Amino acid sequence: MPKAQRTQVGIVGAGPAGLVLSHLLYLHGIESVVLENRSRTYVEERVRAGVLEQNTVDLLCEMGVGERMKREGLVHYGIELRFKRRGHRIDFQELTGGKGITIYAQAEVLKDLNNARIATGGQVLFEVEDVGVHDLDSPMPKITYRKDDADCELHCDFIAGCDGFHGICRPSVPAGVLTEYDRTYPFGWLGILAQAPPSSEELIYTYHELGFALLSMRNSQLSRLYLQCAPDEDINGWSDDRIWRELRTRLASTNGWKLTDGPVLQKGVTGMRSFVVEPMQYGRLYLAGDSAHIVPPTGAKGLNLAVTDVQILARALEEYYSKGSHNLLDSYSEVCLRRVWKVQRFSWWMTSMLHRFPDDNPFDQRRQLAELDYVTSSRAAAKTLAENYVGLPLEDH
Ligand code: FAD
Ligand code: DHB
């Protein structure tokens, strides 16, 4: 006989979506159990996103998990767009009425959330195996899994599929229910984390004949940098020396600016795609974050979008448990998707403007440069970029 347990909301995946949801539900007095197939160390050390929108920062603070982020995070009020070896600042503060972004690694957000879940008696089970979701169209769906060689069952009112792009929740929806919208890009990003003080106070997004480059950071001693590369680029062909040389070439500027290098602590290649499923719900299964959509990283939106999905889902579950109303649950997918598509558009646009596409001809390249020139010289265009980058407001309907 499997070991059976009952909870209100069963959450698959302890990434940003799963952990934010679990803690928000706790704050509303709703019980949940999070099931994660990796170890806590693996999840907390994976190098991923680093840019938090104002909305994400505000939410983490309201949830009581923002203290270290406030202390250690770097608040930025602009970014630089660099092309033709010249830098142009987009001033978020001036263009958005005082908004900014915070640089604080996804891994640190997850550590803070895990600590808060543990301190408040939350159940986050790591290293579970063979997770399956069942009876999704019944009033009591069930999650099966194995933990320490024992078969277990979790009976829930609702299941939140927060298990990322390669998870099992989305594929568990019967064939024909979901429609997929997909675009892959003919390039990837080679990313490094380096023991080197950031060479700029703000992020630098660079368009260059040899391809896109991005300078970012984690703190005063750690730089995070990216290079456009082939989607299947072999990382073994990139010595640290070659990476720094390429970064120096692409980021070069006419004003004597210098790139500070240092030991490379971590490096990897990430593919780029845009992907959405509609609807983000089937029966009592609600998909949130990367399990429902992927954006190319150029707009720094993946993590922020995952957080807004679960903010909307938590509100809907709170309404259900406090008032018995299904209204917000019924509109969950529609409300999320309106925002998801706007963020998809922005991420696609930033990607298209800043990367070299293998099939582009000189006309396309001149057009990209004209677009960059326009964005950095027209207040209206700069404002469009700024309001999307700091994060669009969360709408109720
Ligand atoms: P995830 O963070 O993927 O979390 C899902 C969790 O579910 C994982 O912990 C996973 O182990 C778990 N899981 C999966 N399958 C199962 C299962 N069967 N059973 C139980 N648990 C399961 N975004 C940016 O904005 N900027 C970046 O620079 C950036 N870099 C990235 C680099 C990489 C390599 C990747 C993969 C993504 C990157 N992203 C970036 C995207 C961003 O990290 C994601 O959008 C964000 O993590 C989404 O959060 P999530 O909780 O929806 O999914
Ligand atoms: C980082 C990642 C991004 O995708 C981006 O657009 C900006 C910064 C980062 O990892 O710091």
Side-chain angles (χ1 to χ4, degrees):
M1 275 289 282
K3 273 206 303 207
Q5 190 189 352
R6 160 101 183 89
T7 192
Q8 290 175 300
V9 183
I11 300 174
V12 186
L19 290 177
V20 169
L21 178 64
S22 167
H23 203 58
L24 275 176
L25 293 177
Y26 158 77
L27 295 170
H28 288 308
I30 301 165
E31 193 186 88
S32 68
V33 176
V34 183
L35 302 172
E36 165 63 50
N37 62 2
R38 301 290 195 151
S39 70
R40 181 170 174 191
T41 314
Y42 179 90
V43 169
E44 290 185 354
E45 285 179 4
R46 212 163 16 184
V47 180
R48 281 184 159 190
V51 175
L52 307 183
E53 291 177 354
Q54 189 77 55
N55 172 67
T56 304
V57 169
D58 292 347
L59 180 72
L60 294 173
C61 290
E62 278 163 33
M63 291 166 67
V65 293
E67 207 175 292
R68 196 163 65 95
M69 173 187 64
K70 280 282 175 206
R71 222 175 34 243
E72 296 176 13
L74 307 172
V75 180
H76 288 186
Y77 290 106
I79 54 166
E80 179 180 325
L81 294 181
R82 193 173 281 190
F83 55 98
K84 290 184 166 170
R85 298 163 70 95
R86 281 182 201 281
H88 306 260
R89 183 166 189 260
I90 305 287
D91 184 336
F92 296 156
Q93 191 164 33
E94 195 264 323
L95 292 162
T96 65
K99 290 190 188 156
I101 50 155
T102 297
I103 307 295
Y104 189 63
Q106 175 164 338
E108 304 308 316
V109 174
L110 294 179
K111 282 179 202 160
D112 296 344
L113 284 162
N114 275 326
N115 287 337
R117 289 314 296 125
I118 288 160
T120 51
Q123 290 197 67
V124 184
L125 308 183
F126 290 95
E127 296 177 81
V128 303
E129 295 172 292
D130 299 333
V131 177
V133 293
H134 315 270
D135 310 328
L136 301 176
D137 54 357
S138 84
M140 184 145 314
K142 158 177 101 178
I143 308 179
T144 52
Y145 62 99
R146 287 176 65 74
K147 174 81 183 150
D148 302 329
D149 288 328
D151 288 323
C152 306
E153 282 185 3
L154 182 63
H155 298 261
C156 330
D157 298 333
F158 301 97
I159 297 176
C162 300
D163 51 348
F165 186 66
H166 300 289
I168 52 93
C169 288
R170 191 181 67 251
S172 304
V173 174
V177 171
L178 302 178
T179 306
E180 298 185 353
Y181 300 86
D182 203 359
R183 165 175 294 220
T184 50
Y185 296 87
F187 41 75
W189 278 12
L190 190 163
I192 63 165
L193 188 68
Q195 189 74 51
S199 308
S200 161
E201 279 186 18
E202 293 178 339
L203 272 58
I204 305 175
Y205 287 80
T206 307
Y207 176 88
H208 189 274
E209 303 87 88
L210 296 174
F212 171 75
L214 169 61
L215 182 148
S216 180
M217 63 210 66
R218 288 296 174 263
N219 57 43
S220 64
Q221 297 308 316
L222 278 180
S223 292
R224 176 91 170 126
L225 297 124
Y226 298 94
L227 285 169
Q228 176 181 350
C229 61
D232 55 354
E233 191 77 41
D234 180 6
I235 192 76
N236 295 315
W238 287 83
S239 63
D240 295 359
D241 232 31
R242 182 177 171 205
I243 294 173
W244 285 115
R245 231 180 310 126
E246 190 68 19
L247 283 165
R248 233 173 270 124
T249 305
R250 295 193 197 179
L251 287 161
S253 163
T254 49
N255 67 358
W257 176 86
K258 289 257 179 320
L259 179 66
T260 308
D261 59 21
V264 173
L265 305 176
Q266 189 268 352
K267 56 183 166 183
V269 171
T270 313
M272 310 259 285
R273 74 192 303 167
S274 302
F275 174 89
V276 182
V277 285
E278 292 190 6
M280 288 170 54
Q281 179 234 342
Y282 169 71
R284 289 196 165 221
L285 171 69
Y286 292 81
L287 300 174
D290 278 15
S291 76
H293 41 70
I294 295 282
V295 286
T298 325
K301 293 294 171 208
L303 173 138
N304 295 293
L305 207 49
V307 168
T308 41
D309 283 355
V310 295
Q311 210 175 344
I312 294 164
L313 184 55
R315 221 182 265 170
L317 289 164
E318 197 275 324
E319 189 197 54
Y320 171 83
Y321 283 110
S322 65
K323 300 193 189 123
S325 162
H326 275 98
N327 284 344
L328 292 183
L329 282 171
D330 292 346
S331 62
Y332 167 75
S333 175
E334 195 190 321
V335 170
C336 284
L337 284 167
R338 267 190 77 192
R339 199 165 184 288
V340 165
W341 276 111
K342 286 181 205 156
V343 176
Q344 285 287 353
R345 185 209 66 82
F346 175 69
S347 303
W348 161 85
W349 173 72
M350 286 284 281
T351 304
S352 308
M353 178 170 68
L354 286 160
H355 289 76
R356 291 297 285 237
F357 286 70
D359 294 340
D360 277 359
N361 62 26
F363 174 87
D364 297 307
Q365 291 156 9
R366 289 283 192 284
R367 180 184 47 73
Q368 281 177 310
L369 285 167
E371 182 138 30
L372 283 160
D373 191 4
Y374 177 56
V375 165
T376 51
S377 59
S378 151
R379 184 180 154 81
K383 195 169 168 157
T384 298
L385 190 155
E387 73 171 359
N388 279 278
Y389 199 96
V390 300
L392 293 173
L394 213 63
E395 293 166 37
D396 284 333
H397 309 289

